[in-house]
Amino acid sequence: MASSGAEEADPGEREREEHGDLHHQRRLASSLTARYSDWVLEALDELPGSFLLTDPALAGHPIVYASRGLTALTGYARREVLGSGARVFQGAATDRAAVAGVREAVRAQRAHQVAILNYRRDGSPHWVLLHLAPVFHARDGSVLHFLAVQVPIDDAGRGAGAPCRGAQGAVLAACREEARVDDDFPCASYSGKVFVDMDKRGLEAEKPRVASDSEKEKAISTANSIVAALNRYSKLTGLVVSGKRCDSVGIPALSSSLNLSLGRIKQSFVLTHSCLPDMPIIYASDAFLSLTGYSREEILGCNCRVLNGPGTSLEVIEEINQHICSEQACTVDLLSYRKDGSSFPDLLHVSPIRDASGKVAFHIWVHLDVGAKHDFNGLTPEVWQLGAVGAVRVAVRGLSASGSLLRPSQ
Amino acid sequence: MVSATKVEGEYSFLSKNSHLDQSEGVKTHLYHFGAEHGNDDLKSTACPEQGPSLLDTILLSQWDNFAWKGHLDYDVTACQLKVIEGGINFVGQLNNKWNSFSLKEYDKLFESFRCSKPNSMKSYEGLLLCVAQGENDRPEVAPSASPPKDGLLLIANAYPVEYGHIFLVPAAVNQLSCYWDKRMFGLATKIASEVNNAAFRVFFDSRTHVVSDHMFFQACYFPNPLPVESASTVVLYEYGGNARSDIIVSETVGYPLKAIVFTSNNLKALVNVVSEICFSLHDNTTAYSLLISNNGTKVFLFPQVKNLVTGCSLSTWECGGYFIYHTKFEFDNASETEISKRMASVSLQDSAFEDLKHLCCAIAHDLVK
């Protein structure tokens, strides 16, 4: 795709090539605009940072979008990378194991973060934190795109030891060798300008860099912004995307009398089905939808982890999981995230709820935005929250005429 | 949580406390009725948009907290429920841990709440809430206050029959040792009205709910209508004059235990009529149970005779149609026929019931003029 810097082709061929380029470019752009409204490109253009969107459905898993920040970081013009595979940024010294890890994550359709050595357009290597994440179709769980965020890793060791120039030089030389074999490497486009000190020979393997916490957070927050932007513009074409896979098929419906009782409860809460795999949300109160910004259709069937984000403490999540496994209740403080990516300090109470059979049927998750102003008529936040738990316990304990609470879904 | 700290002069926390006024020490959430409800109107149906009432929320919350801390003897929501086959739809619960307290235990329990002995701090956990009349228009909650003398203490029952099972006990012992406390009955009914939740019912059993000549009530939550609440009724007396103080007296039809139902939207009328009737029953040494339901607008009266053969009688809950079975065998083999027989055996004889019906109508007529 990128101009190879070869000799000039004849004008006719050049024209056809350009026309082919244009057609190809349109095809790549439509990968996005077919799913989201046309404004999605503008919205993505406004996001800072260097990132790509790739489409696994097209041959070669090409890059279909590159952000403005890409040029500053990598030296590539955006249109140069469109249509290439993302490995265009890799080079000879890029750790093969890291690359394999990325490939595996793509295959398994899961998020992945790795510090990796990339090469700029001019052939200079630099370390980036690569954050890869799939973008799921919220309804059928298929992967629409992959997003890849590149956050430069600070050169922490500057001046501490001898810079590994020798290695770079050797690598460049080797790179040029390989370039004759493989067109993908950027060095193929680089024609002989040496700007590294070739005096120091001797390969010193460069130690893999470690990304700092702030760099990791930056990567995740950029990823969240991208998904939020896609969501904002997907609604216009009727598509809902999610960073997490949700499966709304097969959720049992609650009986109408139970729905009615639950509907009276004013607190912000969801009920998850304790027996179905991955504990999907089967009920969400209106207050919960207002608090988090999700619609009922979007949230039903999802796991509660949709509210997790970069600042959510993993220890707290683990604590919740342990209590769920031991059928105990717990109250925790954690950072939760709304649909638009904004976060709030959440006082969360999770508790198992038994139905008339005496067995645990659901879990209740009661949320409270501690940062917002509340008036609970003299009750403390904790008392207010448990009030919802008690009310749900009473409602779920009821017997219907047929003796069962849930109808199977259609 | 209370912890003993060494203060200057080597006074421990406990000894410091004994110098203080005796009424200090017990502190709990204090719920004040709003004064606007002083006009005796009872709400019979909850408005769905409003959601649970403040009293409902705090009571459920306190009870759930008490359960969460592990103070209950068992998790009643883990006890299996079923509808017993037949037209009446009696409810059965499998619970091998429940047992009704003996009178002595009730006495001890309530005594520990009345005296503010610092070393009985542990029993304070069960004190969920105190309810008293308030002065402001709207109801309000004080998170930590000493119970006023005319208040009602709501104490969790560690052996619950159903979720939210509590005792309603007067905060201070009435000087007049009177068996029937009309004011207390009024408060209990008012609480039912304020909770404003059809699942919440208050009950009284003349045989067991009197300790040291003082009555107390119990209450709990159950979301389905009790069988007696679904039973057909026939009106015996209906005051057609002043609509505000209307009271309807009816009897159940087709229910194995003879029962009389008092329905009214006026708290005062209900309390006056039912109190008067209970006095008479007490004089006749007739055992009876009361079930206050439908947000305090309906009172079921279950008069009983002592079964001379088995000596058994039914608890209020059982009168309402809800039975607890201790073994799986009994639970599986529970039958409507067997329950109906038990109910019939403690039911009043026809002639005695007729007399009672006449009495009820006469009292209603006299008092609601």
Side-chain angles (χ1 to χ4, degrees):
Chain A
M1 242 332 279
S3 149
S4 61
E7 310 87 10
E8 294 265 40
D10 70 272
E13 194 182 309
R14 182 87 174 287
E15 213 180 282
R16 276 195 298 281
E17 203 176 69
E18 277 181 14
H19 182 75
D21 283 354
L22 214 60
H23 177 74
H24 195 54
Q25 278 190 21
R26 283 217 197 92
R27 258 196 73 215
L28 296 174
S30 77
S31 159
L32 281 174
T33 56
R35 274 80 167 252
Y36 315 99
S37 86
D38 291 347
W39 291 290
V40 74
L41 296 173
E42 277 180 36
L44 292 173
D45 281 350
E46 274 168 35
L47 294 176
S50 172
F51 62 88
L52 316 162
L53 285 175
T54 62
D55 190 340
L58 298 177
H61 194 169
I63 296 170
V64 297
Y65 177 85
S67 73
R68 285 228 173 101
L70 188 90
T71 314
L73 182 65
T74 65
Y76 284 99
R78 293 159 76 184
R79 63 171 192 80
E80 281 184 303
V81 298
L82 284 185
S84 304
R87 62 190 182 284
V88 74
F89 302 106
Q90 295 157 20
T94 306
D95 182 23
R96 291 292 133 205
V99 171
V102 171
R103 203 175 298 135
E104 175 55 32
V106 168
R107 191 200 61 76
Q109 296 179 345
R110 58 173 165 77
H112 186 69
Q113 235 188 33
V114 67
I116 194 168
L117 186 70
N118 270 5
Y119 289 80
R120 298 193 187 89
R121 192 181 189 277
D122 60 16
S124 64
H126 64 136
W127 282 93
V128 298
L129 175 66
L130 174 68
H131 178 92
L132 177 83
V135 177
F136 291 107
H137 187 309
R139 245 171 235 286
D140 59 33
S142 61
V143 176
L144 297 169
H145 296 103
F146 278 92
L147 57 86
V149 180
Q150 304 164 327
V151 176
I153 296 181
D154 226 352
D155 189 8
R158 189 165 299 170
C164 308
R165 295 283 184 110
Q168 281 179 2
V171 156
L172 271 178
C175 189
R176 250 171 287 153
E177 280 297 322
E178 288 186 47
R180 294 195 193 108
V181 188
D182 195 335
D183 275 341
D184 274 357
F185 279 55
C187 304
S189 66
Y190 170 61
S191 44
K193 213 173 14 172
V194 178
F195 58 88
V196 284
D197 186 0
M198 298 284 279
D199 287 343
K200 294 214 174 92
R201 304 284 164 159
L203 261 155
E204 288 167 44
E206 196 154 333
K207 279 201 293 273
R209 298 281 180 84
V210 174
S212 71
D213 281 345
S214 69
E215 281 154 355
K216 283 186 190 162
E217 259 186 49
K218 193 167 165 200
I220 296 175
S221 82
T222 308
N224 283 346
S225 312
I226 298 167
V227 176
L230 292 178
N231 252 326
R232 215 173 307 132
Y233 292 96
S234 73
K235 269 175 138 184
L236 301 173
T237 53
L239 171 72
V240 180
V241 300
S242 166
K244 334 275 176 198
R245 194 192 297 265
C246 294
D247 183 9
S248 62
V249 175
I251 306 173
L254 299 179
S255 75
S256 51
S257 62
L258 182 57
N259 250 316
L260 210 64
S261 309
L262 295 176
R264 288 186 70 214
I265 302 171
K266 297 295 168 214
Q267 288 84 339
S268 181
F269 72 96
V270 296
L271 292 184
T272 56
H273 197 295
S274 308
C275 304
L276 290 180
D278 210 30
M279 285 179 60
I281 293 173
I282 50 154
Y283 181 88
S285 71
D286 287 342
F288 175 86
L289 302 178
S290 309
L291 173 64
T292 58
Y294 289 101
S295 75
R296 195 160 266 123
E297 307 153 329
E298 288 173 317
I299 204 69
L300 288 184
C302 293
N303 178 281
C304 285
R305 70 176 81 88
V306 295
L307 297 186
N308 296 345
T312 309
S313 154
L314 291 172
E315 279 118 18
V316 170
I317 293 174
E318 187 49 39
E319 190 187 337
I320 297 173
N321 285 334
Q322 279 174 12
H323 280 85
I324 291 176
C325 288
S326 56
E327 284 188 351
Q328 288 178 312
C330 64
T331 299
V332 295
D333 279 294
L334 80 174
L335 207 59
S336 291
Y337 289 76
R338 300 186 185 86
K339 178 181 169 181
D340 66 6
S342 65
S343 67
F344 62 92
D346 192 356
L347 179 68
L348 172 65
H349 181 89
V350 185
S351 190
I353 306 275
R354 295 172 188 276
D355 64 13
S357 72
K359 302 203 179 58
V360 176
F362 312 120
H363 275 79
I364 185 173
W365 305 62
V366 193
H367 297 268
L368 186 65
D369 181 353
V370 185
K373 278 203 80 169
H374 298 288
D375 175 23
F376 298 136
N377 271 315
L379 303 182
T380 63
E382 289 81 7
V383 172
W384 170 250
Q385 280 205 309
L386 281 189
V389 178
V392 170
R393 284 203 210 283
V394 173
V396 173
R397 181 112 172 109
L399 293 154
S400 75
S402 65
S404 106
L405 292 169
L406 305 180
R407 290 181 276 114
S409 60
Q410 277 74 5
Chain B
M1 288 312 288
V2 177
S3 55
T5 45
K6 272 247 143 94
V7 185
E8 203 110 5
E10 305 260 328
Y11 279 116
S12 77
F13 180 81
L14 289 181
S15 59
K16 214 172 155 208
N17 221 14
S18 61
H19 291 300
L20 298 172
D21 182 19
Q22 191 69 351
S23 63
E24 273 235 33
V26 184
K27 288 242 191 317
T28 182
H29 281 84
L30 177 55
Y31 176 92
H32 282 115
F33 289 122
E36 70 183 355
H37 297 300
N39 60 6
D40 291 337
D41 279 342
L42 296 167
K43 305 178 277 256
S44 62
T45 46
C47 177
E49 279 74 51
Q50 280 172 3
S53 71
L54 182 59
L55 183 55
D56 192 17
T57 302
I58 189 176
L59 180 54
L60 285 170
S61 173
Q62 291 293 86
W63 209 88
D64 203 75
N65 191 41
F66 183 75
W68 182 19
K69 294 222 174 89
H71 296 305
L72 294 180
D73 198 64
Y74 52 85
D75 181 359
V76 70
T77 65
C79 298
Q80 194 185 346
L81 290 176
K82 76 173 196 188
V83 176
I84 295 164
E85 259 173 82
I88 304 176
N89 290 333
F90 287 120
V91 177
Q93 183 193 116
L94 177 56
N95 184 344
N96 61 358
K97 297 234 180 83
W98 176 76
N99 73 81
S100 49
F101 275 26
S102 71
L103 277 176
K104 263 193 274 198
E105 290 176 63
Y106 281 142
D107 203 4
K108 260 196 300 189
L109 178 66
F110 301 146
E111 211 45 41
S112 68
F113 287 100
R114 300 234 181 84
C115 305
S116 340
K117 294 200 188 73
N119 39 12
S120 57
M121 289 286 189
K122 193 166 176 294
S123 59
Y124 291 154
E125 295 285 357
L127 176 55
L128 304 182
L129 185 59
C130 177
V131 177
Q133 189 61 51
E135 279 138 19
N136 297 330
D137 275 343
R138 300 178 52 82
E140 27 176 46
V141 173
S144 180
S146 297
K149 287 204 163 49
D150 62 346
L152 213 58
L153 301 177
L154 305 190
I155 298 167
N157 184 346
Y159 294 85
V161 157
E162 253 305 331
Y163 188 80
H165 195 165
I166 52 172
F167 296 110
L168 290 78
V169 176
V173 173
N174 231 332
Q175 310 309 9
L176 297 168
S177 191
C178 174
Y179 142 73
W180 179 268
D181 187 342
K182 197 156 129 179
R183 195 191 69 87
M184 200 187 150
F185 177 56
L187 261 183
T189 308
K190 195 147 184 198
I191 286 174
S193 167
E194 284 278 301
V195 169
N196 204 22
N197 186 336
F200 182 78
R201 297 168 189 84
V202 182
F203 41 106
F204 173 79
D205 188 333
S206 73
R207 294 166 302 116
T208 56
H209 287 44
V210 181
V211 168
S212 309
D213 276 343
H214 301 289
M215 68 188 312
F216 65 90
F217 290 79
Q218 294 191 48
C220 66
Y221 288 82
F222 184 63
N224 298 111
L226 287 175
V228 74
E229 290 170 326
S230 308
S232 315
T233 54
V234 97
V235 174
L236 301 172
Y237 173 86
E238 200 173 5
Y239 185 64
N242 181 358
R244 269 196 78 223
S245 52
D246 255 352
I247 185 164
I248 302 172
V249 183
S250 18
E251 66 167 320
T252 53
V253 170
Y255 194 71
L257 179 65
K258 295 189 182 70
I260 297 181
V261 192
F262 303 89
T263 312
S264 174
N265 282 335
N266 185 298
L267 176 70
K268 217 168 174 181
L270 204 55
V271 169
N272 284 337
V273 170
V274 174
S275 297
E276 198 60 40
I277 290 162
C278 291
F279 273 128
S280 305
L281 288 170
H282 180 67
D283 289 341
N284 284 348
T285 64
T286 308
Y288 64 92
S289 292
L290 292 177
L291 176 70
I292 306 173
S293 81
N294 204 27
N295 303 324
T297 60
K298 229 182 201 99
V299 179
F300 289 84
L301 168 67
F302 302 105
Q304 292 180 56
V305 296
K306 197 162 184 179
N307 186 319
L308 295 168
V309 176
T310 61
C312 86
S313 47
L314 299 176
S315 68
T316 316
W317 215 224
E318 289 170 328
C319 295
Y322 188 114
F323 291 83
I324 295 192
Y325 298 96
H326 289 90
T327 66
K328 186 109 180 42
F329 181 77
E330 291 171 342
F331 180 73
D332 288 340
N333 293 307
S335 77
E336 182 171 294
T337 338
E338 179 251 322
I339 292 174
S340 302
K341 254 195 266 176
R342 272 180 72 191
M343 284 188 159
S345 73
V346 298
S347 209
L348 280 192
Q349 300 289 346
D350 285 344
S351 55
F353 192 60
E354 280 301 315
D355 290 342
L356 179 59
K357 283 195 287 186
H358 285 306
L359 178 65
C360 291
C361 295
I363 290 175
H365 182 77
D366 280 344
L367 293 182
V368 185
K369 275 203 286 280

